[in-house]
Amino acid sequence: KAGVTQTPRYLIKTRGQQVTLSCSPISGHRSVSWYQQTPGQGLQFLFEYFSETQRNKGNFPGRFSGRQFSNSRSEMNVSTLELGDSALYLCASSLAQGIKNTEAFFGQGTRLTVV
Amino acid sequence: GIQVEQSPPDLILQEGANSTLRCNFSDSVNNLQWFHQNPWGQLINLFYIPSGTKQNGRLSATTVATERYSLLYISSSQTTDSGVYFCAVTLSGGYNKLIFGAGTRLAVHP
């Protein structure tokens, strides 16, 4: 069974640009969550999507957005990039049976560098 | 909000030694997971353990939900065990939002 796939693995962008990251969950998993990891702040929750709806959101500015498609694949977008957005972005996939939370499995991450 | 605290923050071992990593949480949780982050950044699932004890080879974990802590035991450590270990919890009503501790950085030397 294929795991969680994130693309691209590495990305270098310039301040002010925007970026889109992609995540394909494990087949049959309907929940996709996104996390940002930085040396200073650790691992922080961005948002969760379930059945194409955002059902939970972390404390990040509106420049961070996401969406989920009918096949459960998800994208996150960061607009007007800032140097502080440089981070490892991790996507997690869960079976998510209704409101019951289930085990999360992570992708390999996308390492974003903003210059 | 809930606090998730891991100890120790850093740990250095000789190959073959045993260790215990601790995760304390300040409120009731629905679920708890332990992860190992490899050098490439991927979080590898170790245990999904809201309560009780589980074992997987040289690793085992115990969560005592009523006392709000979990322990990860590593026996006969190997250099490949090096990396950062995270515990993460989910809350009732929080869906699948994971709240992470700061991690324990483990270095195993030959």
Side-chain angles (χ1 to χ4, degrees):
Chain A
K1 197 173 190 182
V4 181
T5 303
Q6 290 189 244
T7 56
R9 294 289 313 280
Y10 303 92
L11 210 46
I12 301 175
K13 290 286 188 179
T14 304
R15 266 183 307 174
Q17 288 186 313
Q18 73 165 15
V19 67
T20 299
L21 312 183
S22 179
C23 173
S24 292
I26 293 170
S27 178
H29 284 198
R30 298 170 64 193
S31 166
V32 174
S33 299
W34 290 89
Y35 296 83
Q36 181 196 64
Q37 185 177 26
T38 59
Q41 299 298 317
L43 277 151
Q44 292 188 289
F45 172 78
L46 280 156
F47 27 65
E48 179 195 3
Y49 286 87
F50 176 76
S51 292
E52 303 178 65
T53 301
Q54 185 185 91
R55 67 176 185 180
N56 210 342
K57 189 178 190 305
N59 190 24
F60 278 83
R63 300 185 298 106
F64 292 81
S65 62
R67 59 178 175 168
Q68 186 180 35
F69 302 94
S70 58
N71 62 358
S72 294
R73 188 178 72 86
S74 177
E75 290 180 346
M76 68 163 279
N77 184 276
V78 188
S79 62
T80 320
L81 284 165
E82 301 177 359
L83 295 179
D85 298 332
S86 296
L88 178 65
Y89 290 88
L90 292 161
C91 162
S93 159
S94 302
L95 189 59
Q97 296 159 324
I99 63 171
K100 182 179 182 302
N101 51 47
T102 53
E103 187 174 5
F105 297 86
F106 281 82
Q108 292 178 298
T110 294
R111 193 167 296 276
L112 171 65
T113 302
V114 182
V115 298
Chain B
I2 189 171
Q3 303 297 314
V4 181
E5 295 179 348
Q6 291 187 242
S7 59
D10 296 280
L11 190 56
I12 300 173
L13 300 174
Q14 286 296 123
E15 206 167 23
N18 303 328
S19 61
T20 301
L21 282 58
R22 188 176 181 101
C23 174
N24 291 335
F25 39 96
S26 60
D27 205 347
S28 300
V29 300
N30 252 13
N31 286 309
L32 187 144
Q33 287 189 243
W34 283 97
F35 298 94
H36 176 213
Q37 188 165 40
N38 66 22
W40 298 273
Q42 186 170 9
L43 290 170
I44 306 300
N45 289 43
L46 296 177
F47 295 100
Y48 175 69
I49 185 167
S51 63
T53 297
K54 291 186 177 180
Q55 179 152 9
N56 184 4
R58 296 182 297 103
L59 273 59
S60 64
T62 295
T63 296
V64 184
T66 53
E67 297 187 21
R68 299 180 184 170
Y69 73 89
S70 183
L71 301 174
L72 177 69
Y73 305 95
I74 305 174
S75 65
S76 304
S77 58
Q78 301 175 356
T79 55
T80 52
D81 294 331
S82 297
V84 185
Y85 290 80
F86 290 100
C87 72
V89 302
T90 58
L91 305 179
S92 176
Y95 300 111
N96 288 294
K97 172 183 176 180
L98 284 165
I99 301 164
F100 283 85
T104 291
R105 185 174 299 276
L106 174 63
V108 181
H109 296 306

